[in-house]
Amino acid sequence: RAFCAGGWAWRPWCDSYVPSVYKFVQGRYWGVGLLTYFTPSQAPNFALAAPVLLLSACGVWSYASYDPARFLSGGLLRGRRSSKREGFHAAAALPSVYVWAAMAATAAAVMHVQVATRFLSA
C-alpha cells in the first residue's frame, strides 16, 4: 500500500484488499478475467484451441475413469483394475494428471485462447 499513499494520483487498484497492479492491467487493458474471454467474436479462436482443450479433457477423463477410486482418493485407494503394468494409467502418473487437470481448467476459464494453446502444449 506504500505506492498508494502520498502525493501520487489515486489509481483503482489501491482500493483492492490486496493491491495488484498486474491484476488491474490484465483486467482493464487485456480483458483477462474469469470467463471474460467467452464472447461470440472469439469463436474462431476457440475453434483453434478446441483440439488441445479437448485432448486435455479426454486425457484426464481417461485416467480418472480407468480407476476412479485411485483418482478420487488421491492415490490412497486402488480399484480392481490396478496392476503393475499400466502405462499412462500408472499410479505414479497421478500427480501429473492432477497438475494437467488444474492447468486445463485454468486455461479454459481465465486465459486467452492463444495463450491457452501454448500453455497446454508446453
Side-chain angles (χ1 to χ4, degrees), residues 40-80:
S41 63
Q42 297 300 330
N45 288 330
F46 280 105
L48 292 172
V52 72
L53 291 170
L54 187 62
L55 283 172
S56 294
C58 288
V60 172
W61 179 259
S62 171
Y63 190 93
S65 62
Y66 180 79
D67 191 354
R70 178 175 57 200
F71 184 78
L72 295 174
S73 70
L76 298 175
L77 302 175
R78 288 194 172 201
R80 290 176 272 150

Side-chain angles (χ1 to χ4, degrees), residues 16-101:
S16 300
Y17 181 70
V18 178
S20 173
V21 176
Y22 184 71
K23 182 179 176 184
F24 170 76
V25 169
Q26 279 194 324
R28 175 123 184 219
Y29 300 110
W30 296 336
V32 175
L34 182 62
L35 304 177
T36 58
Y37 204 62
F38 287 86
T39 60
S41 63
Q42 297 300 330
N45 288 330
F46 280 105
L48 292 172
V52 72
L53 291 170
L54 187 62
L55 283 172
S56 294
C58 288
V60 172
W61 179 259
S62 171
Y63 190 93
S65 62
Y66 180 79
D67 191 354
R70 178 175 57 200
F71 184 78
L72 295 174
S73 70
L76 298 175
L77 302 175
R78 288 194 172 201
R80 290 176 272 150
R81 298 183 73 177
S82 295
S83 67
K84 290 186 179 186
R85 302 195 67 185
E86 297 171 321
F88 169 71
H89 298 103
L94 183 61
S96 297
V97 173
Y98 284 150
V99 171
W100 188 14

Side-chain angles (χ1 to χ4, degrees), residues 2-21:
F3 56 86
C4 290
W8 297 56
W10 175 86
R11 296 300 293 169
W13 66 79
C14 291
D15 288 337
S16 300
Y17 181 70
V18 178
S20 173
V21 176

